[in-house]
Amino acid sequence: KENQIAVIYGYPELDRSSGTAKYYNSAHLVSKDGVSLMNYRKVHLWAPTEGAYTQGSEYCVSELMKGMKVGILICYDLDFPESMRALAQKEANIVVVLTAVADSQYSNISQLIVPARALDNQVYVAYSNYAGGSYVGQSHLANPGGKTVVCAGSEDAMLVAKIAIDN
């Protein structure tokens, strides 16, 4: 709030509203004013985590500021074109993808899939991946034309870029 910065963070969500405990791989969007705008539950579960988490059921978009509509995906969700398409159909113009890719065999996701999803759906894609140790890093921002705006290497980095949202 003090710095006027919006935040998206991932967390393991515990939901007891149905009377039984369910865990979701979730992400939460908080506005620059500290207002909770959206909670997203991962729809496409990675096979090794299927027993630990419950599958989410809907894609969410929230207006972060005038004209900027944000959607969120988590990791494996990006591998399914229909995930990004659903957010674009809900008028998202930027999609943030939180991920923790630790296997170098998937290091091409940032360079291939991120720009393709941006181009296919005419949205910005901000791909945020852990870096260092066994994580591949390569966080990436692609514009609606599929071009790289900024991209990190394999080490920790803070990426900053200006984007133009057409209304």
Side-chain angles (χ1 to χ4, degrees):
K1 239 170 130 173
E2 180 181 320
N3 294 310
Q4 296 290 291
I5 298 173
V7 174
I8 297 175
Y9 62 91
Y11 71 105
E13 176 189 0
L14 171 59
D15 180 3
R16 290 189 173 121
S17 64
S18 67
T20 59
K22 291 183 181 179
Y23 290 91
Y24 294 90
N25 184 348
S26 298
H28 198 89
L29 171 61
V30 180
S31 76
K32 65 181 182 163
D33 301 315
V35 175
S36 173
L37 296 178
M38 174 182 14
N39 192 65
Y40 170 69
R41 294 171 169 171
K42 185 176 181 179
V43 172
H44 296 282
L45 300 177
W46 182 247
T49 66
E50 284 181 354
Y53 292 104
T54 301
Q55 182 178 17
S57 61
E58 67 179 291
Y59 298 103
C60 309
V61 172
S62 182
E63 189 164 40
L64 182 58
M65 59 181 67
K66 186 172 173 47
M68 180 183 279
K69 295 180 181 177
V70 179
I72 300 173
L73 295 177
I74 299 172
C75 204
Y76 194 46
D77 286 330
L78 181 67
D79 290 10
F80 298 86
E82 61 271 20
S83 300
M84 190 71 68
R85 178 66 57 179
L87 293 172
Q89 289 174 336
K90 290 182 175 222
E91 300 181 358
N93 45 28
I94 184 165
V95 176
V96 177
V97 183
L98 305 178
T99 190
V101 174
D103 190 333
S104 63
Q105 77 175 0
Y106 301 111
S107 63
N108 61 354
I109 291 171
S110 174
Q111 300 303 314
L112 297 175
I113 295 177
V114 169
R117 296 290 183 264
L119 177 62
D120 289 347
N121 296 284
Q122 295 294 290
V123 298
Y124 283 93
V125 177
Y127 177 82
S128 178
N129 189 31
Y130 284 124
S134 64
Y135 296 97
V136 299
Q138 299 180 5
S139 293
H140 191 145
L141 175 63
N143 72 17
K147 302 288 185 195
T148 296
V149 176
V150 64
C151 188
S154 60
E155 300 301 317
D156 287 340
M158 177 182 280
L159 303 179
V160 178
K162 287 188 177 186
I163 61 173
I165 302 295
D166 297 327
N167 296 322

